[in-house]
Each structure stands twice: as structure tokens, then as C-alpha cells.
């Protein structure tokens, strides 16, 4: 983590969520403002948010040291161990973000509809998460409603990682993102979330498209 951020401006004095807070206008977006939470040793949360912004992607977040480490996965996770999914590391998010499902207004950062696609807890399969993160080889187990078992995030370069399922009982060739396209908290589709939150016509159309399994 420290290594990949060496070339960026030093925002350390604003805390881990400086980048998150800088990108958002909290008087306009319904997203939570960023506060660093208390680091927990047990029951670390994870969340995956299906997000139809300018492009559809799945935001993969793991709780660590009071924030959610975050990656944007354009194609979403795959249960097939032979499939490597590209995962772009994004700014740390507040733990409160795990509860966010709704619509970010058009013109705002990440404008579009957000669904809580999966959630639960995770546990590292390494002794030291910080070291594994810096090395770019983070092995972990997910205890979610859709995703389970052992996974790995491997860094290729700077912020570019791969998300890969390990071979175990939870591995499968099922197309999980197509088969399970509803929210784990509200059972709603992306279009239903968009409609309820008063999305624009354009956002509603994009949400409907993202609900349909890829052809
Ligand atoms: Mn996103």
C-alpha cells in the first residue's frame, strides 16, 4: 500500500480517507462522509457493491485497520479458479459505506446506481495483512451470502491487481454475477434501486441494462 502511493501527493495529515473525502461533495451525494473507524481484530467486514457509474463494475471492499480497502472489478468476481478478474485498486472507503445502496447524482464522482451485491465477513489467510498487501499477494477467505471460500488478490503493477478464486468446495463454473443479480440486503434489482431513489431517466435506463445478464 505504501509503495504504490509513493508518487502521489502526501495527504497523510488528512488521514486514510483524504482521497475519498476530496472526491465527494457531501451536500450533494447521499454517500456517507469518511470517518476512520476503530480497527477490529475479529469479524472483519467485506462488501461488494454493484455500481453502474460511467461503466458497470463491482466494488470489492475488505475491512482493514478502520477503513475498507477497495478495488474496482469491471467484470465482477468469478467462481472459476481458471478465470482471473482485473481489479483496479481505488481509494480506501469508510466502513459506513458498506451500508450504502442508492443513487449518486449525475455529474458527481461515481454518479449512478449502487447495489449491495454481497456482504459478510472475511479472514486473512496470511499472518500480516499489511505485509501481504505491500507484497501484492493477499490470500483470504470470504464468508458472504454469494461468495465463499478461499480467494487471492495479486498485484501486477502499481494499482492493478487480479482477483482469483482458489480451488475449493466453493469453486464453480456458475456465472454468479448473471445468476444472482439482486441486492443481498433489499432483494431489489439495480433498476428498482434506481427508481426508488429518483434516478434520472438516463440512469434508470443504464441500471436496467446492467440488470440483464450479458449476452
Ligand atoms: Mn464504484
Amino acid at each position: 500500500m505504501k509503495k504504490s502511493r509513493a508518487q502521489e501527493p502526501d495527504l497523510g495529515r488528512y488521514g486514510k480517507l483524504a482521497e475519498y473525502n476530496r472526491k465527494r461533495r457531501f451536500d450533494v451525494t447521499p454517500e456517507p462522509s469518511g470517518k476512520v473507524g476503530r480497527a477490529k481484530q475479529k469479524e472483519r467486514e467485506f462488501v461488494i457493491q454493484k455500481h453502474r457509474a460511467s461503466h458497470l463494475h463491482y466494488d470489492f471492499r475488505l475491512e482493514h485497520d478502520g477503513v475498507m480497502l477497495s478495488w474496482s472489478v469491471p467484470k465482477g468476481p468469478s467462481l472459476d479458479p481458471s478465470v482471473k478478474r482485473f481489479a483496479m485498486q481505488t481509494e480506501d472507503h469508510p466502513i459506513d459505506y458498506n451500508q450504502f445502496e442508492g443513487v449518486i447524482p449525475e455529474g458527481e464522482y461515481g454518479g449512478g446506481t449502487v447495489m449491495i451485491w454481497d456482504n459478510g465477513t472475511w479472514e486473512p489467510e496470511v499472518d500480516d495483512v499489511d505485509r501481504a498487501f505491500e507484497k501484492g499477494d493477499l490470500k483470504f477467505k470470504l464468508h458472504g451470502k454469494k461468495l465463499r471460500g478461499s480467494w487471492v488478490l495479486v498485484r501486477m503493477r502499481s494499482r492493478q491487481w487480479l482477483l482469483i478464486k482458489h480451488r475449493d468446495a466453493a469453486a464453480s463454473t456458475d456465472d454468479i454475477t448473471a445468476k444472482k443479480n439482486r441486492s443481498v440486503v433489499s432483494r431489489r434489482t439495480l433498476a428498482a434501486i434506481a427508481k426508488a431513489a429518483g434516478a434520472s431517466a438516463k440512469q434508470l435506463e443504464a441500471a436496467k441494462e446492467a440488470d440483464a445478464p450479458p449476452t
Side-chain angles (χ1 to χ4, degrees):
M1 179 155 54
K2 281 152 202 157
K3 226 172 235 173
S4 69
R5 291 176 178 185
Q7 286 96 339
E8 295 177 7
D10 179 17
L11 294 167
R13 69 200 149 110
Y14 300 110
K16 288 184 193 174
L17 294 172
E19 187 179 347
Y20 174 89
N21 283 322
R22 184 166 46 74
K23 283 178 167 168
R24 290 169 177 81
R25 299 191 294 166
F26 295 106
D27 52 340
V28 184
T29 181
E31 296 164 289
S33 65
K35 284 182 211 80
V36 178
R38 208 156 42 85
K40 290 178 274 179
Q41 285 311 307
K42 279 186 180 175
E43 296 294 287
R44 305 156 187 253
E45 294 179 33
F46 91 91
V47 70
I48 300 176
Q49 282 153 321
K50 181 175 178 178
H51 184 189
R52 179 50 170 89
S54 51
H55 298 281
L56 175 65
H57 60 273
Y58 292 74
D59 288 301
F60 185 85
R61 312 189 199 280
L62 299 175
E63 179 185 346
H64 178 60
D65 262 353
V67 296
M68 300 302 293
L69 305 177
S70 297
W71 290 262
S72 168
V73 185
K75 292 187 175 171
S78 170
L79 302 182
D80 184 343
S82 70
V83 175
K84 300 170 170 64
R85 286 285 156 89
F86 180 72
M88 177 66 87
Q89 192 195 334
T90 59
E91 75 273 21
D92 296 344
H93 275 53
I95 296 173
D96 284 350
Y97 206 90
N98 299 357
Q99 263 58 260
F100 179 69
E101 182 170 272
V103 171
I104 301 166
E106 250 179 80
E108 296 305 302
Y109 179 72
T113 310
V114 177
M115 169 200 289
I116 301 174
W117 184 78
D118 197 14
N119 64 12
T121 61
W122 75 283
E123 48 179 318
E125 295 185 304
V126 295
D127 291 335
D128 184 334
V129 173
D130 283 314
R131 244 186 93 206
F133 197 97
E134 273 178 46
K135 258 178 63 191
D137 185 358
L138 179 58
K139 295 181 175 73
F140 53 92
K141 262 201 184 76
L142 294 179
H143 308 284
K145 298 177 180 83
K146 293 173 182 166
L147 303 190
R148 295 178 177 280
S150 182
W151 296 74
V152 65
L153 274 159
V154 183
R155 186 195 287 119
M156 297 185 293
R157 68 188 74 84
S158 63
R159 291 192 158 209
Q160 300 170 31
W161 297 64
L162 295 171
L163 175 65
I164 309 163
K165 181 77 194 74
H166 279 146
R167 287 181 198 282
D168 60 15
S172 154
T173 51
D174 282 355
D175 188 347
I176 185 83
T177 52
K179 269 194 167 174
K180 306 261 185 189
N181 71 343
R182 286 176 183 265
S183 163
V184 290
V185 296
S186 67
R187 306 304 305 157
R188 294 181 298 176
T189 60
L190 208 59
I193 294 164
K195 208 168 178 187
S200 69
K202 195 177 136 205
Q203 287 180 323
L204 186 55
E205 205 45 52
K208 275 183 191 160
E209 241 174 73
D211 277 326
T215 49

